Amino acid sequence: IVSGQLGLTDDGLPEGFGSQMTALLANFGALLDGAGLRREEVAKTTVFLADMGDYAELNDLYVAFFGDHRPARSAVAVAELPLGAAVEMEAWVYAPR
């Protein structure tokens, strides 16, 4: 289980949804790599959006990140996220050992 991730960089939280989502996915990929997991093992994600108007851009970046693999996904509109973030994502990963 990967707890909620924000799109933080070394410089903090970038401006704008696209920059935050790109950083979030890069961080998420690094977490998977560090745990010896593959993107294809991600079974389910929940994405929390501060603005549902960002859904189309979310979808484009999400598809680019996961490629042909399509984990189940829920997208939920929320009133506010930590640090004033535009997006947060959590995930369930199934990796039989």
Side-chain angles (χ1 to χ4, degrees):
I1 300 171
V2 180
S3 64
Q5 300 295 306
L6 300 176
L8 291 169
T9 68
D10 291 339
D11 297 322
L13 195 63
E15 286 292 320
F17 175 83
S19 296
Q20 288 184 33
M21 188 65 190
T22 298
L24 183 157
L25 291 169
N27 295 342
F28 182 70
L31 280 173
L32 292 175
D33 292 344
L37 299 168
R38 299 185 334 260
R39 293 174 189 189
E40 295 80 15
E41 294 171 318
V42 176
K44 164 80 169 76
T45 64
T46 304
V47 182
F48 303 95
L49 297 168
D51 182 349
M52 197 54 87
D54 292 323
Y55 184 82
E57 188 173 4
L58 157 71
N59 200 54
D60 291 343
L61 293 167
Y62 191 90
V63 167
F65 179 80
F66 281 107
D68 289 335
H69 176 60
R70 297 292 191 273
R73 177 184 65 197
S74 299
V76 181
V78 296
E80 187 175 4
L81 290 167
L83 304 176
V87 61
E88 180 177 355
M89 186 174 82
E90 64 182 26
W92 288 75
V93 182
Y94 177 70
R97 302 276 187 233

